[in-house]
Amino acid sequence: MRLVGWGLLVASIAARAAEPERGIRVICGIEAVRKATERFAAACDADVAEFLGRDVRPVRPIVRVTIDAAAVPESDPFQLVFQGGESPPRVTHGLIRAFLLRHVTETGRPPPVVTSLDWLAAALTNRILYGNREMYDRFVPDYEPARYLFSRNQFPILERLLCQPVPPDSLVAYRLYAVHCDLLALCLQETYGETILHRLLDTERHGRGGMEALAFLLSDQLIAGDNPQAWYERTAMQVSRRGRRPSDAESIARRLEELVTVPVVMPGDSDFRGKRVPLEELPGALGQDRLRREVLGFLERDFYELLKDAPEGLQGPLADYIAACQEMGKGHTRTARRLLAKARRTFAEALARQRRLEELLDEVEYRYVPAERRLGLYLDVVRERLAEERRFDPQLSAFLDTVSSAPRVP
């Protein structure tokens, strides 16, 4: 039965939970599913309290969960109805959203309108479902997909994260959205401490919109001419190092190629995009000692960021690039060129080994991991795209189906 399978999944996620707390009620005809859901809901409730940095929780409304295929959802935000076949993200998001709202709802008063409920629920859903807590006994999510975009100066628009949430039923899009929401929450927590998220909700509860509340809380972090988007982009790159997982060899090789030649605008150039100069020729191209040291300082920083993302086998050659930049900054051109030659040679050898290792791992995965698991995310993207096209114009889709299935005239 679908209810039994759903209950077993919830039970496995909620294995660490203690006895159900007061204030959570689950209605379900299958006792095992009811108990498993209560344990999972209690674990989510405890995670929400920790997420908001609140040790003492006041008396709040009861959150009621009904698991019944025939039940009709109500308008009460504290009444959750699941049919029994929902995905873990939808169940987790729904529970967390209700518990977040409960923290800012005063006893005996209607729940307030709070814009940030959905993005905060997505952030904590990412930590609970994809945070590897079972392995590390704490949340260590994988931020590598977001960090890959950040390294190319591609950041989400902050207002969209806050005000245009992705529904948890859009599994692939929601998972990427949840990663970025998690990083935004982490940016705030790293800047202000654990209680900042509750302060954000409380600020919205008193009448400020999502972006307005965030800008109000960030007022002491914004320099002249700054805005929340600029603060977010500065901070997200740093906090995305949490839960770091090495990038693949091809990604590191592409990023290195961008660093080993530097764009420089020469005197008299009409093309202000400049031309790319190899590192060995950089000191002569820059001329001024102060400018050379400044540019090499930025390069050293970028090489260090690349080293932190690289697999262990590629880190040694990248360290030689950093040492070469340091020697150039000191004016030791001959030593720097020797280190660059060594770095290029050893990186090429290490890259070849890393590629062979990744090919071997891909071969083993191809042999022993079923295709539906290996290609699951890609298939989900295709299915969602097709479903979206059908929702856009169901009659046209039905007509095209009849045309494609009609026998061809010889």
Side-chain angles (χ1 to χ4, degrees):
M1 293 178 64
R2 296 173 68 196
L3 283 174
V4 174
W6 183 80
L8 294 175
L9 177 60
V10 171
S12 66
I13 298 174
R16 76 177 191 90
E19 288 300 316
E21 292 186 350
R22 294 179 59 188
I24 302 171
R25 299 289 182 272
V26 179
I27 301 172
C28 181
I30 302 175
E31 184 66 11
V33 175
R34 184 188 66 80
K35 289 184 176 180
T37 306
E38 282 184 345
R39 289 195 299 270
F40 183 53
C44 289
D45 195 15
D47 287 333
V48 167
E50 183 179 357
F51 186 57
L52 297 179
R54 305 196 71 198
D55 295 328
V56 179
R57 286 169 287 167
V59 177
R60 298 151 298 174
I62 294 175
V63 174
R64 292 180 170 83
V65 181
T66 301
I67 306 174
D68 185 347
V72 178
E74 301 180 19
S75 58
D76 186 348
F78 300 114
Q79 300 275 357
L80 305 179
V81 175
F82 299 122
Q83 308 301 319
E86 287 81 358
S87 65
R90 183 180 177 191
V91 174
T92 310
H93 184 101
L95 287 169
I96 292 172
R97 192 184 189 283
F99 293 138
L100 286 169
L101 182 60
R102 191 168 66 167
H103 273 272
V104 291
T105 300
E106 297 180 8
T107 304
R109 303 191 65 175
V113 176
V114 180
T115 305
S116 292
L117 287 176
D118 279 299
W119 82 260
L120 286 173
L124 187 52
T125 297
N126 185 68
R127 298 186 189 183
I128 290 175
L129 295 185
Y130 312 114
N132 297 312
R133 181 168 50 187
E134 295 79 6
M135 182 180 300
Y136 301 107
D137 198 33
R138 59 188 176 89
F139 292 129
V140 186
D142 175 19
Y143 299 128
E144 199 274 339
R147 192 167 58 253
Y148 180 86
L149 296 176
F150 296 165
S151 68
R152 285 154 178 76
N153 202 33
Q154 298 177 20
F155 294 87
I157 298 175
L158 196 54
E159 186 171 3
R160 290 183 181 175
L161 281 181
L162 268 64
C163 305
Q164 298 180 26
V166 175
D169 289 333
S170 302
L171 295 180
V172 178
Y174 177 81
R175 185 164 180 179
L176 183 60
Y177 172 74
V179 168
H180 285 292
C181 290
D182 187 355
L183 280 171
L184 174 57
L186 193 55
C187 287
L188 289 168
Q189 291 171 325
E190 289 286 299
T191 304
Y192 291 104
E194 296 296 324
T195 59
I196 183 62
L197 301 180
H198 186 267
R199 286 173 54 199
L200 176 66
L201 291 175
D202 201 49
T203 302
E204 291 191 36
R205 180 170 68 90
H206 287 92
R208 296 182 187 268
M211 279 300 297
E212 183 187 3
L214 184 63
F216 174 76
L217 293 177
L218 289 174
S219 57
D220 64 331
Q221 295 291 320
L222 304 181
I223 58 180
D226 210 351
N227 56 45
Q229 180 71 31
W231 166 86
Y232 164 69
E233 293 182 9
R234 286 196 309 270
T235 313
M237 176 63 82
Q238 298 301 319
V239 303
S240 64
R241 298 295 169 199
R242 292 286 191 91
R244 183 177 59 83
R245 185 180 71 179
S247 298
D248 61 87
E250 295 304 324
S251 173
I252 297 297
R254 284 194 299 269
R255 290 170 60 183
L256 177 65
E257 188 64 29
E258 295 174 1
L259 292 178
V260 294
T261 57
V262 182
V264 176
V265 178
M266 305 297 289
D269 280 352
S270 58
D271 187 355
F272 291 102
R273 292 174 299 179
K275 66 177 182 179
R276 302 197 73 88
V277 176
L279 280 180
E280 290 89 336
E281 302 175 14
L282 187 61
L286 292 175
Q288 302 178 22
D289 289 343
R290 183 189 62 80
L291 180 59
R292 183 182 69 246
R293 287 194 297 270
E294 185 175 340
V295 171
L296 288 168
F298 285 121
L299 270 177
E300 183 181 340
R301 180 203 63 188
D302 291 342
F303 273 117
Y304 183 63
E305 292 296 322
L306 183 60
L307 182 146
K308 289 191 292 185
D309 282 347
E312 185 174 353
L314 301 180
Q315 291 178 1
L318 292 174
D320 287 335
Y321 278 105
I322 295 174
C325 289
Q326 293 170 343
E327 293 299 323
M328 278 189 193
K330 299 173 185 176
H332 302 161
T333 306
R334 182 176 298 179
T335 303
R337 287 178 176 174
R338 178 175 53 80
L339 285 170
L340 283 173
K342 176 189 173 186
R344 282 193 169 93
R345 183 182 68 256
T346 55
F347 183 83
E349 296 170 353
L351 182 62
R353 288 194 299 270
Q354 187 67 29
R355 283 170 170 162
R356 290 197 298 270
L357 176 60
E358 291 181 2
E359 288 172 1
L360 175 62
L361 292 175
D362 288 342
E363 181 182 342
V364 172
E365 183 182 33
Y366 180 80
R367 185 179 302 175
Y368 295 106
V369 179
E372 59 270 19
R373 286 189 57 190
R374 285 187 286 111
L375 305 176
L377 285 176
Y378 302 100
L379 295 174
D380 285 342
V381 170
V382 173
R383 280 193 289 264
E384 288 193 18
R385 178 62 181 270
L386 292 174
E388 188 67 27
E389 291 176 352
R390 289 183 177 277
R391 286 193 292 270
F392 179 73
D393 194 331
Q395 292 182 341
L396 176 60
S397 297
F399 172 73
L400 293 176
D401 287 342
T402 59
V403 171
S404 63
S405 60
R408 294 184 178 182
V409 177

